[in-house]
């Protein structure tokens, strides 16, 4: 194996390491958002009798409307589809 081959391998391994570290950071961030959501929900009263703007803004990132479904994306990163 020549110098150039070794240098290419080092760069390739560095890139793989960078990708792995970025993926791990993403997983930790997602886990933290889920824990924050769980803590917030545990602090809320269990019975909702009317629309709560603060709760919606705290939990939901966005709602996408399609012809046949709604997709709700929570701030935790979880997505659910609701069929019409």
């Amino acid at each position: 194996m020549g110098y150039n081959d070794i240098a290419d391998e080092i760069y390739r391994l560095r890139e793989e390491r960078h990708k792995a570290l970025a993926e791990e950071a993403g997983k930790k961030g997602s886990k933290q958002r889920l824990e924050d959501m769980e803590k917030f929900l545990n602090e809320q009263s269990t019975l909702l009798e009317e629309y709560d703007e603060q709760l919606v803004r705290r939990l939901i990132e966005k709602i996408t409307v399609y012809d046949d479904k709604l997709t709700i994306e929570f701030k935790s990163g979880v997505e659910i589809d609701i069929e019409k």
Side-chain angles (χ1 to χ4, degrees), residues 9-61:
E9 183 68 8
I10 288 171
Y11 288 123
R12 187 187 69 75
L13 290 172
R14 283 183 182 164
E15 183 63 29
E16 282 186 31
R17 179 176 180 263
H18 176 72
K19 287 178 185 177
L21 290 173
E23 184 177 318
E24 182 66 26
K27 287 179 183 177
K28 286 181 182 179
S30 180
K31 182 179 178 185
Q32 182 62 47
R33 289 190 303 272
L34 284 170
E35 289 172 358
D36 291 345
M37 183 193 298
E38 181 180 24
K39 180 181 175 190
F40 176 75
L41 289 172
N42 286 335
E43 293 171 354
Q44 303 305 306
S45 63
T46 56
L47 181 61
L48 292 176
E49 295 182 5
E50 60 186 46
Y51 176 77
D52 186 340
E53 181 76 21
Q54 179 184 4
L55 183 62
V56 169
R57 291 190 178 276
R58 178 81 188 253
L59 296 177
I60 296 177
E61 181 68 32

Side-chain angles (χ1 to χ4, degrees), residues 68-80:
D68 59 340
K69 69 178 180 177
L70 300 173
T71 299
I72 301 171
E73 181 181 334
F74 293 90
K75 292 197 177 185
S76 66
V78 173
E79 288 186 12
I80 61 168

